Amino acid sequence: MRSPIPDYLNAVLEKVRPNEDGKPAQYIKTLANADTSKLAVALVMVDGNVYSAGDDQVEFSIQSISKAFVYAIAIEDAGLEHVLEKIGVEPSGDAFNKLSLHKGNNRPMNPMINAGAIAAHSLVVHPDATAEERTDRILKAMSRLAGRQLYVDEEVYEAELEDADRNMGIGYMLKAAGIISCRPAEVVKGYIRQCSINVNVRDLAMMAATLCNAGVNPVTGEKIMPADSVRQVLSVMTTCGMYDAAGQWVSRVGIPAKSGVAGGVIGALPGQVGIAAFSPKLNDRGNSVRAVALFEQLSRDMGFHMMDVSQIARASVSTSVAKIVAGKEEPHHPNCDRRVVIFALRGAVRFAGSERLARAIVRELGEPDPKDPGSGEHRDACAIVVSLRDAFSLNLVAKRVIHESIKRLLAEGKTVVVIDPNSVLQMDLDSLPTSQHPQIVENEKEAREYIGGTGCSAVTQSDNW
Ligand code: GLU
């Protein structure tokens, strides 16, 4: 059987192909002469699986999409605080190449417009670095993000340099405003080189998937940027990534994105999938007409909108009750014939999942509430089992809520057993007195035997027990 996903991608391509609106960017000769029939899409899952359709090997220059990644590199090289002193994070609503700075502080509004991107470029390596050092650093980082060696398209670079007065003007404005300290022409040349790096949609989707995967390239496994930088980059992509159409994009597509004047668009859906689309004709906002249509369709069909509320974290905790029973040959154990309450957590648990667990524990084991029939029913249970067997991960706040809930149970003298074969709980036991240590075990059998003694079993409606 063939996977339905490539067929679906081909069908979406054919749906948007008849759209002949727009025209390629005119101000760079090579882009103005692009083959406008080209059309491609790629998806890279966070486990590295790649799907693509159409002209997925055709290369084009990355252009403004580079701004997102160079911002991350600037954060790594100069530190977030320093970057924020130089470049704001507010959407500007202006055209990408507007000569504008924020009135109060002279900073470029954000790193996704040219003024901010040129400033970000100047922060790569260090302020006194040569243009070669900076472009070399950027090319290497982009190649690691894509998982293959990328190159500057010299023809595109020369073509843009020929007519770079506006960007040069921005460079001098930044120097005069004290935002950059190095020679403006060098910084702008480096910025134009960064924009002239060639990619195809598969490269771009891999780069986007690296963002989705907390900075780890999902195929090479290389950690390329810290998760904090990724969050910063995705945030500005969300609010400022689609030129002056960012608001419309967020409401219609709802995926952090960045587009470039060569016709590429990337989308990065955190924790799920990196997407890239390409077609050279642009709308009046500078975004590829067909790529925008593709993203709108994908978002609708695949439920990619990040504000989608159709999946509420309701099923992440299940509660069940079991009776611990000694085997025939086993000596009698004080916990035999007594009840245990089992709380099982599923999936990638964040605050909402941990809150449900904390609430379920309080309901089952707390004082009965007359307004809530059934509450407090199991407060005399001989043990509480928290099963993290099917919990894929716990984020920081989920860990804290669960640690605290366990500590409170132990402080009340309860026996707590945690099934945690993948060590997702990571409770700092060294900082706690032994009386506050839960018993951490690998599986249900170990949990039963700890509670009821060797060889005992459990009677329950649930299949695991
Ligand atoms: N090199 C282009 C410029 O600065 C990039 C613009 C873009 O892709 O938006 O004009």
Side-chain angles (χ1 to χ4, degrees):
M1 192 201 101
R2 270 173 24 159
S3 161
I5 296 167
D7 295 345
Y8 164 73
L9 291 179
N10 277 308
V12 182
L13 280 191
E14 293 322 313
K15 192 159 183 189
V16 304
R17 197 184 293 282
N19 191 335
E20 290 290 349
D21 293 348
K23 53 176 193 277
Q26 299 296 302
Y27 74 107
I28 303 175
K29 218 186 311 146
T30 321
L31 302 189
N33 296 331
D35 178 351
T36 56
S37 69
K38 297 297 181 214
L39 174 62
V41 65
L43 304 188
V44 176
M45 312 310 295
V46 285
D47 66 0
N49 204 27
V50 184
Y51 298 98
S52 60
D55 303 303
D56 57 355
Q57 302 297 330
V58 167
E59 295 197 352
F60 50 94
S61 49
I62 188 166
Q63 296 297 341
S64 271
I65 300 170
S66 65
K67 292 170 179 171
F69 301 104
V70 172
Y71 185 51
I73 302 171
I75 292 172
E76 190 176 340
D77 292 359
L80 179 59
E81 214 174 306
H82 186 60
V83 171
L84 290 174
E85 276 166 22
K86 301 285 181 190
I87 311 164
V89 289
E90 296 302 333
S92 70
D94 290 330
F96 70 99
N97 57 1
K98 180 139 191 227
L99 277 94
S100 64
L101 295 175
H102 192 282
K103 277 200 190 70
N105 52 27
N106 270 351
R107 284 182 318 189
M109 293 291 282
N110 68 65
M112 301 292 141
I113 54 169
N114 286 10
I118 293 169
H121 182 93
S122 81
L123 296 172
V124 169
V125 186
H126 54 74
D128 303 323
T130 62
E132 285 69 38
E133 283 172 323
R134 278 196 203 104
T135 45
D136 191 49
R137 160 98 172 97
I138 291 169
L139 191 57
K140 283 203 178 107
M142 300 257 213
S143 301
R144 286 160 63 215
L145 283 158
R148 72 171 183 120
Q149 182 62 51
L150 303 176
Y151 298 93
V152 170
D153 185 327
E154 296 294 342
E155 191 189 323
V156 172
Y157 171 68
E158 293 298 339
E160 184 165 357
L161 202 55
E162 246 176 58
D163 192 14
D165 300 340
R166 206 175 171 87
N167 281 333
M168 288 292 176
I170 292 175
Y172 285 99
M173 175 186 73
L174 291 171
K175 178 77 186 277
I179 298 294
I180 63 173
S181 52
C182 32
R183 287 177 38 219
E186 285 304 298
V187 177
V188 173
K189 280 187 191 164
Y191 160 75
I192 293 175
R193 274 191 96 65
Q194 107 187 16
C195 290
S196 307
I197 294 172
N198 263 2
V199 285
N200 59 37
V201 277
R202 292 170 69 95
D203 298 326
L204 285 181
M206 189 64 71
M207 296 166 88
T210 302
L211 295 177
C212 306
N213 196 33
V216 177
N217 179 306
V219 169
T220 64
E222 192 187 352
K223 175 105 192 153
I224 298 177
M225 56 180 83
D228 284 357
S229 306
V230 172
R231 197 179 71 175
Q232 183 71 15
V233 172
L234 291 174
S235 305
V236 291
M237 282 168 68
T238 305
T239 51
C240 320
M242 295 301 282
Y243 304 122
D244 39 341
Q248 196 181 55
W249 176 269
V250 171
S251 61
R252 290 174 72 109
V253 179
I255 301 173
K258 184 70 201 94
S259 93
V261 286
V265 179
I266 61 165
L269 196 58
Q272 291 195 53
V273 59
I275 310 164
F278 163 66
S279 199
K281 285 190 181 176
L282 310 181
N283 60 23
D284 54 4
R285 300 274 185 63
N287 296 315
S288 163
V289 173
R290 287 173 174 158
V292 169
L294 260 163
F295 266 92
E296 288 183 356
Q297 188 73 37
L298 288 177
S299 176
R300 265 199 306 276
D301 292 347
M302 302 179 110
F304 279 166
H305 199 296
M306 64 185 163
M307 303 299 175
D308 184 43
V309 285
S310 61
Q311 296 222 312
I312 297 175
R314 274 197 191 119
S316 57
V317 181
S318 69
T319 306
S320 55
V321 177
K323 194 155 92 173
I324 296 292
V325 187
K328 272 208 196 80
E329 314 302 328
E330 302 306 323
H332 186 72
H333 185 281
N335 283 335
C336 284
D337 272 345
R338 294 190 56 202
R339 270 171 304 149
V340 296
V341 189
I342 305 132
F343 300 98
L345 271 157
R346 255 173 214 286
V349 183
R350 299 193 284 184
F351 173 69
S354 65
E355 184 273 342
R356 281 178 187 279
L357 173 70
R359 196 166 2 137
I361 290 175
V362 171
R363 182 176 189 276
E364 300 298 328
L365 303 162
E367 287 303 311
D369 174 356
K371 290 198 283 295
D372 179 12
S375 60
E377 208 175 318
H378 301 298
R379 64 191 187 288
D380 59 345
C382 69
I384 292 104
V385 177
V386 176
S387 176
L388 301 174
R389 194 194 61 179
D390 297 324
F392 172 70
S393 60
L394 308 181
N395 78 356
L396 210 59
V397 65
K399 276 184 200 152
R400 284 170 65 181
V401 172
I402 297 171
H403 292 178
E404 193 54 36
S405 302
I406 290 175
K407 278 198 240 165
R408 287 174 186 214
L409 286 170
L410 290 163
E412 286 181 7
K414 308 262 198 249
T415 299
V416 180
V417 183
V418 180
I419 302 174
D420 188 11
N422 306 313
S423 304
V424 292
L425 183 65
Q426 293 172 338
M427 203 158 165
D428 179 15
L429 296 179
D430 293 344
S431 67
L432 296 172
T434 331
S435 64
Q436 288 183 25
H437 285 197
Q439 180 70 15
I440 299 183
V441 299
E442 290 272 317
N443 51 44
E444 283 78 7
K445 178 171 182 285
E446 280 180 30
R448 272 193 313 264
E449 296 195 339
Y450 175 77
I451 298 165
T454 313
C456 84
S457 56
V459 184
T460 171
Q461 279 99 357
S462 116
D463 48 359
N464 299 330
W465 287 74

